[in-house]
């Protein structure tokens, strides 16, 4: 563990409090070649347009900044084609940034770019080496942490997280492994509400989640277009894809302010708004 006097404040206790500071990475070298997840396989016949992805990402950054959110950009590196998905390389819990151990070989090493920034800014961090865990599987809700048991996060990593965080209750949430991360099928969007895709879970997991949240169902078509993977900005304001009309209507009926941003080219690689953002600071 490295604890230095920070020049950048870090603190997160939820997925939905007002977002103040977030880490992104431009998809400068993004490509879809190896088909490393189910979404990429389904989009295999759709040509990927890098120029469009870069323009859409720039619009995402501009949208965040217009909401008064500070955007920190990690430097893109040529050998990391999935680097746009910054959420997977870590998560902020309390004032500590936990750096993930990447499961997929093509992504190993991305975390070092984050570590370099954390060191430079003196941000407290803990490197979760030795066990496979990725930030897309981690959901924070006060003193409760929901962690997806997936193809990218194993039970040993979840157990080790619980042993290090005695003041928290860590819940293991197994998901169907064809879905990449927990945030592809479940997402906490307020103190009492969460999005979910029922087919990704057994009845046991659905009952567990329903004990903590009012569950808002995302249909199969909109799960494929990453409907669950919205980004909460705080004050019941979320970023969502324009194509997910049924979900957006549901959210508006629940008094959410839905800001529609098109990142349809980026989602061809299996991630959307939550995947593309690593919050460093949310208001308590």
């Amino acid at each position: 563990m490295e604890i230095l006097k920070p020049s950048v404040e870090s603190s997160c206790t939820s997925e939905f409090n007002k977002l103040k500071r977030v880490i992104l990475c431009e998809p400068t070298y993004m490509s879809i070649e190896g088909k490393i997840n189910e979404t990429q396989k389904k989009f295999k016949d759709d040509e990927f347009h890098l120029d469009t992805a870069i323009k859409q990402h720039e619009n995402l950054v501009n949208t965040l900044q217009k909401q008064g959110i500070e955007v920190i950009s990690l430097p893109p590196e040529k050998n990391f084609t999935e680097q746009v998905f910054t959420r997977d390389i870590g998560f902020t819990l309390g004032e500590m940034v936990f750096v993930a151990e990447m499961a997929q070989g093509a992504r190993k090493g991305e975390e070092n770019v984050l570590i370099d920034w954390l060191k430079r800014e003196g941000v407290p961090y803990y490197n979760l080496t030795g066990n496979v865990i990725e930030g897309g599987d981690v959901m924070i809700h006060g003193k409760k942490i929901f962690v997806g048991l997936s193809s990218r996060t194993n039970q040993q990593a979840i157990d080790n997280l619980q042993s290090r965080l005695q003041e928290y209750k860590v819940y293991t949430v197994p998901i169907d492994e064809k879905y990449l991360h927990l945030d592809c099928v479940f997402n906490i969007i307020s103190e009492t509400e969460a999005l979910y895709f029922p087919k990704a879970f057994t009845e046991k997991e659905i009952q567990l989640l329903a004990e903590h949240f009012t569950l808002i169902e995302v249909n199969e078509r909109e799960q494929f277009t990453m409907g669950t993977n919205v980004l909460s900005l705080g004050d019941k304001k979320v970023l969502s894809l324009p194509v997910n009309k049924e979900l957006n209507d549901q959210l508006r009926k629940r008094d959410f302010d839905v800001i529609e941003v098109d990142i349809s080219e980026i989602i061809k690689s299996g991630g959307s708004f939550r995947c593309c953002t690593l919050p460093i600071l949310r208001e308590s």
Side-chain angles (χ1 to χ4, degrees), residues 193-207:
E193 298 158 297
L195 304 177
Y196 87 123
F197 177 61
K199 289 185 178 180
F201 306 99
T202 68
E203 189 59 36
K204 179 182 177 181
E205 279 71 57
I206 292 175
Q207 289 177 0

Side-chain angles (χ1 to χ4, degrees), residues 24-31 50 73-86 89 106-117 120:
L24 281 78
C25 184
E26 182 182 290
T28 308
Y29 303 109
M30 188 176 179
S31 66
L50 179 59
S73 297
L74 292 181
E77 296 194 1
K78 197 169 187 178
N79 52 325
F80 298 136
T81 60
E82 298 285 307
Q83 203 178 1
V84 67
F85 301 127
T86 54
I89 60 176
R107 303 200 62 186
K108 288 184 180 293
E110 286 183 36
E111 62 272 27
N112 294 327
V113 181
L114 173 61
I115 288 172
D116 287 345
W117 180 83
R120 186 166 60 250

Side-chain angles (χ1 to χ4, degrees), residues 53-68:
I54 290 173
K55 289 177 182 176
Q56 289 180 347
H57 194 267
E58 288 175 353
N59 185 41
L60 171 59
V61 170
N62 290 336
T63 300
L64 291 168
Q65 290 174 332
K66 286 176 182 176
Q67 294 295 319

Side-chain angles (χ1 to χ4, degrees), residues 15-17 19 188-189 230-234 237-239 282:
E15 301 293 334
F16 52 82
N17 286 348
L19 184 60
I188 302 168
I189 57 174
V230 301
L231 177 67
S232 295
L233 305 184
K237 187 179 295 184
V238 299
L239 298 187
R282 288 185 183 273

Side-chain angles (χ1 to χ4, degrees), residues 111-247:
E111 62 272 27
N112 294 327
V113 181
L114 173 61
I115 288 172
D116 287 345
W117 180 83
L118 294 169
K119 284 182 175 179
R120 186 166 60 250
E121 301 297 337
V123 177
Y125 76 93
Y126 186 86
N127 199 354
L128 291 164
T129 56
N131 301 122
V132 176
I133 186 169
E134 294 187 357
D137 280 317
V138 180
M139 292 276 172
I140 299 163
H141 191 60
K143 291 296 183 180
K144 302 171 186 176
I145 307 172
F146 298 85
V147 185
L149 180 61
S150 70
S151 62
R152 302 298 181 90
T153 296
N154 62 34
Q155 187 62 55
Q156 186 178 359
I158 298 171
D159 292 342
N160 284 349
L161 191 65
Q162 177 66 89
S163 67
R164 296 181 185 281
L165 301 171
Q166 295 293 322
E167 70 274 31
Y168 291 84
K169 171 62 177 175
V170 179
Y171 295 90
T172 298
V173 186
I175 65 172
D176 187 324
E177 289 197 354
K178 72 179 180 181
Y179 303 105
L180 190 60
H181 291 120
L182 181 62
D183 65 7
C184 296
V185 292
F186 173 73
N187 194 353
I188 302 168
I189 57 174
S190 78
E191 185 70 40
T192 58
E193 298 158 297
L195 304 177
Y196 87 123
F197 177 61
K199 289 185 178 180
F201 306 99
T202 68
E203 189 59 36
K204 179 182 177 181
E205 279 71 57
I206 292 175
Q207 289 177 0
L208 168 66
L209 299 175
E211 289 173 5
H212 299 275
F213 307 100
T214 297
L215 298 177
I216 304 166
E217 183 174 339
V218 175
N219 66 40
E220 190 161 9
R221 179 179 57 80
E222 295 190 343
Q223 188 283 323
F224 174 63
T225 48
M226 304 303 294
T228 314
N229 204 257
V230 301
L231 177 67
S232 295
L233 305 184
D235 300 323
K236 296 198 76 171
K237 187 179 295 184
V238 299
L239 298 187
S240 184
L241 286 167
V243 70
N244 293 326
K245 297 183 183 301
E246 186 174 319
L247 170 64

